[in-house]
Amino acid sequence: MKQFYMAGNWKMHKTVAESATFAKELSDKLSPCKEKVMIAPAFTALAAVAEVLKGSKILLGAQNMAGEEQGAHTGEVSVLMLKDLGVKVVILGHSERRHSYLETDKMVNAKLLLSIRHGIDPILCVGETLEEREAGRLESVVGTQLRSGLAGLAAAEIAKVTIAYEPVWAIGTGKTATPEDADAVHAYIRKVVAELYGEVAAKAICIQYGGSVKADNVVALMAKPNIDGALVGGASLKAETFAPIALFRP
Ligand code: 13P
């Protein structure tokens, strides 16, 4: 049976103590979980959550990282610092980073190559705005984000990458893409990956859906052939809303 990849992006929420307590609650509740699970606390809470997750199957993720290894980059966090804390996964190119902090495809690409070089597995986020979708530009926007985001990545490394399709209009709005709509975009993502890396890589790549994923829509979304997991924001902040997503039954 297919293993799904369920990830929680905590965004800018929770103090160190709140994060540690919550991570402990989750690792207890999710101990029977058969899926791959990742949680991404704020940078400030990574060390405390890493401590709590020792011996747990839950992977520790970061929400972003710098595109340079080190140097004069005030306010940035380096891949070396994340590695030092035991971070295994990094979310890159989230639409909030692209839109509020003006991250370009080129910046996202530099981060992706750096994460791979240091053994941290990236989740590359792609997704269109409502305006782009309505203008018929969905495929060109998502296609460009993918091709640019993966530029220069060797074929041997594509298996380490997860793609998250997060339509911007569905994030934090309560509006979810219908399972059919999401599946169609995931199929398109697979097609682009096939063009770049071949059919075997395209079939194997994990493509998460993100955007108002909840316990009551997760079953219908995961039932679609091209949806391999979820990147969850709001519903990942409480055990009673995240555990049913991670523990869902097809
Ligand atoms: P919501 O689940 O709150 O819509 O957020 C999705 C998201 O942005 C995850 O990265």
Side-chain angles (χ1 to χ4, degrees), residues 153-197:
L153 181 76
E157 313 282 23
I158 186 68
K160 304 200 176 113
V161 178
T162 296
I163 307 293
Y165 169 56
E166 298 205 314
V168 179
W169 48 272
I171 296 177
T173 57
K175 286 187 199 148
T176 326
T178 64
E180 291 70 28
D181 275 352
D183 192 59
V185 182
H186 284 222
Y188 172 71
I189 291 170
R190 237 179 259 290
K191 192 172 126 215
V192 174
V193 174
E195 281 165 24
L196 297 170
Y197 295 99

Side-chain angles (χ1 to χ4, degrees), residues 225-236:
N226 289 296
I227 304 184
D228 308 316
L231 181 55
V232 186
S236 75

Side-chain angles (χ1 to χ4, degrees), residues 24-217:
K24 173 79 180 88
E25 189 185 358
L26 272 183
S27 77
D28 291 344
K29 276 215 163 73
L30 298 186
S31 60
C33 186
K34 302 263 186 296
E35 317 304 345
K36 179 172 170 181
V37 178
M38 181 278 273
I39 53 176
F43 286 132
T44 50
L46 283 171
V49 172
E51 196 56 39
V52 172
L53 293 185
K54 272 187 185 150
S56 153
K57 287 181 301 188
I58 299 177
L59 298 168
L60 181 64
Q63 300 172 19
N64 184 27
M65 59 173 234
E68 294 83 11
E69 238 163 52
Q70 57 193 328
H73 299 288
T74 302
E76 291 291 296
V77 174
S78 150
V79 66
L80 302 174
M81 298 164 187
L82 298 182
K83 208 156 80 163
D84 185 40
L85 294 177
V87 168
K88 304 288 183 223
V89 178
V90 63
I91 300 170
L92 297 175
H94 192 281
S95 62
E96 287 149 19
R97 300 295 322 166
R98 293 178 189 268
H99 296 120
S100 307
Y101 300 95
L102 308 182
E103 282 192 16
T104 62
D105 284 326
K106 200 163 171 248
M107 290 158 79
V108 175
N109 177 242
K111 295 178 185 206
L112 183 130
L113 297 178
L114 197 55
S115 72
I116 293 282
R117 194 175 335 134
H118 287 281
I120 296 187
D121 294 344
I123 296 179
L124 171 62
C125 301
V126 298
E128 82 291 359
T129 62
L130 191 56
E131 200 182 8
E132 289 162 343
R133 174 174 274 250
E134 286 173 348
R137 297 182 49 224
L138 191 161
E139 291 195 354
S140 85
V141 168
V142 169
T144 300
Q145 289 172 342
L146 274 175
R147 288 173 208 281
S148 312
L150 297 172
L153 181 76
E157 313 282 23
I158 186 68
K160 304 200 176 113
V161 178
T162 296
I163 307 293
Y165 169 56
E166 298 205 314
V168 179
W169 48 272
I171 296 177
T173 57
K175 286 187 199 148
T176 326
T178 64
E180 291 70 28
D181 275 352
D183 192 59
V185 182
H186 284 222
Y188 172 71
I189 291 170
R190 237 179 259 290
K191 192 172 126 215
V192 174
V193 174
E195 281 165 24
L196 297 170
Y197 295 99
E199 291 291 341
V200 174
K203 210 161 175 253
I205 198 164
C206 173
I207 310 175
Q208 297 172 323
Y209 169 78
S212 300
V213 175
K214 307 268 183 295
D216 61 10
N217 57 26

